[in-house]
Amino acid sequence: SYVLTQTPSVSVAPGQTATITCRGDNIEDQNVNWYQQKPGQAPLLVVYDDVDRPSGIPDRFSAFDSEDTATLTINRVEVEDEADYFCQVWHVATNHPVFGGGTRLTVL
Amino acid sequence: EVQLVQSGAEVKKVGESLKISCKASGYGFNRNWIGWVRQKPGKGLEWMGLISPGDSEVRYSPSLQGQVTISADKSAGVAFLQWSSLKATDTAIYYCVREGSTFGYFDSWGQGTLVTVSS
């Protein structure tokens, strides 16, 4: 089965840049999607198809992937960005979606 | 505006059956796959399965195949997740999700249904 590995936690001060990574074999060959989940809420799609943002998602959120690592970058981090972030791909070989284990972003 | 509204929290006993629902609105129900994602307490997201309401084709996670049934009433715009015999390990929040593109991403999520199964 295909595995996506995320760092369990990341901490950043307000106004700084947060970098959240997601590792998977040849992840650059797949479309990577990212979700934000705040405590007590349902997840929210923040990036899809590697680099696109749904309407309403600020341009402080960006993403890219290279070889085995996908990266979500949050510029000028705000307190409201504190949440769990999950990466996800649709793994073509197994024909089903796979989620990473999630990264908890703490804004100090 | 796309909305997925799920049925309320459930408290059940081990061995009981259960069917939870997800009412979709704001788009053509038959046009997008719709399905379920599980989140156990304090854990990550786990995909369970998807249904294409137009033709009722269903895809299940291999690890959950046979343990749940996903169905849809396309005339009512409602998707369902069903268990015939619950286990304590089924305790989780269950999210209804809509696929934004076929075999891609989940662009809309329901509010979640908490299912608690006790012995």
Side-chain angles (χ1 to χ4, degrees):
Chain A
S1 62
Y2 190 74
V3 177
L4 296 175
T5 302
Q6 297 184 240
T7 304
S9 63
V10 169
S11 298
V12 65
Q16 300 302 304
T17 298
T19 301
I20 297 170
T21 60
C22 173
R23 293 181 56 97
D25 288 344
N26 298 314
I27 199 170
E28 68 175 352
D29 294 336
Q30 304 178 79
N31 289 333
V32 183
N33 311 300
W34 292 90
Y35 303 87
Q36 175 195 68
Q37 185 179 31
K38 296 182 179 180
Q41 297 185 18
L44 173 72
L45 180 69
V46 293
V47 170
Y48 66 98
D49 289 350
D50 290 336
V51 297
D52 293 326
R53 287 187 310 277
S55 62
I57 302 301
D59 60 7
R60 300 186 296 104
F61 289 80
S62 63
F64 70 95
D65 56 59
S66 175
E67 297 183 353
D68 293 340
T69 302
T71 303
L72 174 69
T73 300
I74 309 172
N75 292 314
R76 304 181 301 282
V77 166
E78 300 178 1
V79 172
E80 67 181 32
D81 298 331
E82 189 164 278
D84 293 329
Y85 291 85
F86 296 90
C87 58
Q88 176 254 320
V89 303
W90 187 285
H91 190 230
V92 174
T94 54
N95 200 22
H96 64 73
V98 177
F99 287 96
T103 297
R104 176 151 297 176
L105 174 65
T106 301
V107 182
L108 303 168
Chain B
E1 178 195 5
V2 175
Q3 282 197 311
L4 303 175
V5 179
Q6 300 182 224
S7 50
E10 301 274 0
V11 179
K12 307 292 280 186
K13 298 281 192 186
V14 169
E16 292 185 331
S17 62
L18 176 64
K19 191 173 188 177
I20 62 175
S21 66
C22 170
K23 169 68 175 173
S25 62
Y27 73 100
F29 185 63
N30 289 353
R31 285 172 29 197
N32 296 70
W33 288 70
I34 189 167
W36 299 91
V37 170
R38 175 170 76 180
Q39 188 168 39
K40 294 188 176 184
K43 301 297 185 183
L45 304 173
E46 180 183 11
W47 174 72
M48 302 181 70
L50 291 162
I51 185 168
S52 172
D55 59 8
S56 297
E57 179 182 353
V58 184
R59 296 175 182 263
Y60 291 100
S61 165
S63 63
L64 292 169
Q65 179 106 34
Q67 298 184 36
V68 295
T69 301
I70 293 173
S71 60
D73 180 343
K74 62 183 179 182
S75 65
V78 182
F80 300 97
L81 178 64
Q82 183 174 359
W83 295 260
S84 58
S85 180
L86 287 160
K87 306 171 187 172
T89 52
D90 291 321
T91 294
I93 297 174
Y94 293 86
Y95 292 103
C96 176
V97 293
R98 187 188 84 152
E99 267 210 319
S101 70
T102 303
F103 308 150
Y105 51 88
F106 304 114
D107 65 352
S108 294
W109 294 63
Q111 83 275 21
T113 296
L114 174 61
V115 174
T116 304
V117 184
S118 63
S119 52

